[in-house]
Amino acid sequence: MKHIIKDEELMDYLDGRLSASETAKLKRRLSENGELHLLNHIRLAQKSMIEAHDEYELEMNEQTVAKEIAINFDHNGRKGRAVLVLDPMRLAAAKTDGYLCDIECEEHILLSLGYDITKKTLLDEAYLNKWMKEKGMPIYHIGRLLEKNQLAVARRYDAHIEDLNKLLEQGCKLIAVVNANKLSKRAITMNAPSPDHAVVVLNVLKEENKVVLFDPQTGNDTDTFPLYAFTEAWADSQNFLVVANERDKFVYNPQPINVDDAELSPELVELGEAIAENAHEIWAQKRRSEGWSWGTERNDSLHQTPDMTPYSNLPESEKDYDREMAMQTLKLVQKIGYRIVKDN
């Protein structure tokens, strides 16, 4: 049994250009022909071609010919061979797929909620808003595409396994950031933790010590992993979790990032005081533009407040509010891996 894969529709599927309804139609047609399993083999072939392109540094010009790669497979006792044909321009377009796990997770969530979108549309949106960087989407931008599609989104560090099913029972959609090597138990060559992969959490089977995920790197709709492997892999991102739901169904439970373990140097403490004073200046400037002025007591009808005064004149209780916001912000910067360095 030999399949020659030259169908433009399949190529559009790989590029993420098909809508949800078009993808369903394609899968239905392949299923009727007993060839649905080919999609996974085609994804693997595409990955191999991209790696081959990187290795040989093929020039992308009009003279470059399309490349073919053959795959032998054995699916439920049916042996076959597939030949995938990709032209150079499609190969170049697909080259970033290795960094699109977050895009595919957000696509998976939107499709599960009935949105008729494509990966290509989401990728274009991510680039347009500068959320997508050279090596993928930074952790603090994961979920932006869900927000763009009118979902309520919260980001949390230090989440717990116990939180997952509780949130799932509320109808929430969950994206966890993990160490891909630890999740799949591949050989780990890096000494430092590397939270480099996003997955959608679908279920936690605690009694069976398993977790059910949508993992973009497998090409499957669902995969089951040992709970201990997921726990270890998730810990490397400080248990970072994106929680999303439709706005009218979102149960908001404020959970600011715990920064108690972050310590500030004396220089950063001094910087915190400067930030606090400047924050007051920004607030006062905004209030003045709205017509507020100083008054002995707060009077909303007259737009008067005793806080319209220099920072140095504020009571310590008011200064402490600004200081707390400044210090928490500086600690957060350190918590998520940034450094503040003063120029000499």
Side-chain angles (χ1 to χ4, degrees):
M1 181 174 61
K2 182 177 180 180
H3 303 263
I4 305 300
I5 310 300
K6 295 184 179 180
D7 193 328
E8 186 72 14
E9 191 176 10
L10 286 173
M11 298 302 98
D12 284 340
Y13 167 77
L14 286 175
D15 291 346
R17 297 178 185 274
L18 297 185
S19 67
S21 57
E22 290 170 333
T23 299
K25 187 184 298 183
L26 170 65
K27 289 187 176 182
R28 186 164 56 250
R29 176 166 64 81
L30 291 174
S31 180
E32 290 170 353
N33 294 333
E35 298 176 345
L36 183 58
H37 57 284
L38 275 179
L39 288 185
N40 284 344
H41 293 288
I42 291 170
R43 280 178 178 263
L44 292 175
Q46 183 192 46
K47 181 180 179 183
S48 297
M49 291 187 73
I50 292 169
E51 291 172 352
H53 170 263
D54 289 342
E55 181 179 352
Y56 295 109
E57 297 182 346
L58 300 177
E59 293 184 5
M60 290 302 174
N61 55 47
E62 295 179 358
Q63 307 302 319
T64 307
V65 299
K67 300 295 177 182
E68 295 186 359
I69 188 166
I71 334 157
N72 296 312
F73 60 88
D74 187 338
H75 182 76
N76 293 334
R78 299 177 64 198
K79 294 185 178 181
R81 180 172 179 267
V83 179
L84 175 64
V85 179
L86 283 178
D87 65 65
M89 294 311 295
R90 287 188 180 278
L91 196 58
K95 195 173 177 182
T96 57
D97 269 3
Y99 306 120
L100 300 186
C101 57
D102 36 84
I103 298 285
E104 294 189 36
C105 285
E106 296 188 55
E107 177 195 27
H108 182 275
I109 288 174
L110 290 168
L111 291 175
S112 74
L113 293 172
Y115 287 76
D116 195 12
I117 46 85
T118 68
K119 184 169 71 176
K120 176 65 165 56
T121 301
L122 296 177
L123 184 57
D124 288 346
E125 191 74 52
Y127 276 117
L128 180 65
N129 288 280
K130 299 183 179 180
W131 299 327
M132 177 63 68
K133 309 299 181 183
E134 183 179 355
K135 294 294 185 180
M137 190 175 290
I139 196 169
Y140 47 83
H141 282 326
I142 297 176
R144 302 294 182 201
L145 293 164
L146 302 178
E147 295 175 17
K148 196 74 175 178
N149 283 277
Q150 307 305 311
L151 296 185
V153 176
R155 296 167 187 82
R156 300 175 181 173
Y157 281 91
D158 302 318
H160 301 281
I161 290 291
E162 292 73 18
D163 297 331
L164 300 181
N165 274 338
K166 186 184 300 182
L167 290 166
L168 289 169
E169 288 171 2
Q170 295 173 1
C172 294
K173 307 297 182 179
L174 310 177
I175 298 176
V177 174
V178 299
N179 180 324
N181 282 327
K182 289 185 178 180
L183 181 65
S184 61
K185 290 300 173 184
R186 294 197 296 265
I188 300 174
T189 58
M190 294 166 291
N191 294 324
S194 178
D196 54 2
H197 189 53
V199 296
V200 178
V201 182
L202 302 175
N203 199 1
V204 179
L205 308 172
K206 291 200 70 174
E207 294 183 358
E208 302 176 33
N209 289 315
K210 296 178 180 178
V211 60
V212 183
L213 307 174
F214 166 70
D215 182 358
Q217 70 182 354
T218 70
N220 301 326
D221 289 335
T222 63
D223 285 286
T224 302
F225 293 88
L227 186 57
Y228 75 88
F230 171 75
T231 302
E232 291 181 10
W234 191 27
D236 281 353
S237 72
Q238 300 180 63
N239 289 42
F240 183 80
L241 187 68
V242 175
V243 184
N245 206 339
E246 295 170 280
R247 291 187 176 183
D248 59 340
K249 298 177 182 177
F250 195 95
V251 180
Y252 181 50
N253 180 20
Q255 293 187 24
I257 299 171
N258 187 337
V259 294
D260 290 345
D261 56 344
E263 295 185 6
L264 299 180
S265 66
E267 292 80 6
L268 288 182
V269 172
E270 291 179 8
L271 176 60
E273 186 70 12
I275 293 173
E277 182 170 355
N278 193 61
H280 174 70
E281 293 296 309
I282 293 172
W283 173 88
Q285 184 182 54
K286 176 67 174 175
R287 290 295 176 269
R288 173 167 289 182
S289 70
E290 296 170 346
W292 286 76
S293 60
W294 181 87
T296 55
E297 296 181 352
R298 182 182 175 104
N299 188 316
D300 290 348
S301 61
L302 296 177
H303 281 192
Q304 291 182 344
T305 172
D307 292 338
M308 286 293 290
T309 188
Y311 179 79
S312 59
N313 292 348
L314 290 174
E316 287 300 312
S317 59
E318 292 297 323
K319 289 182 181 178
D320 285 343
Y321 177 82
D322 291 324
R323 287 169 180 153
E324 181 68 12
M325 292 298 295
M327 298 303 178
Q328 291 288 321
T329 300
L330 288 171
K331 288 183 177 181
L332 175 62
V333 169
Q334 291 194 160
K335 177 87 172 185
I336 60 179
Y338 287 88
R339 295 176 57 211
I340 298 176
V341 179
K342 183 180 179 181
D343 290 335
N344 292 329

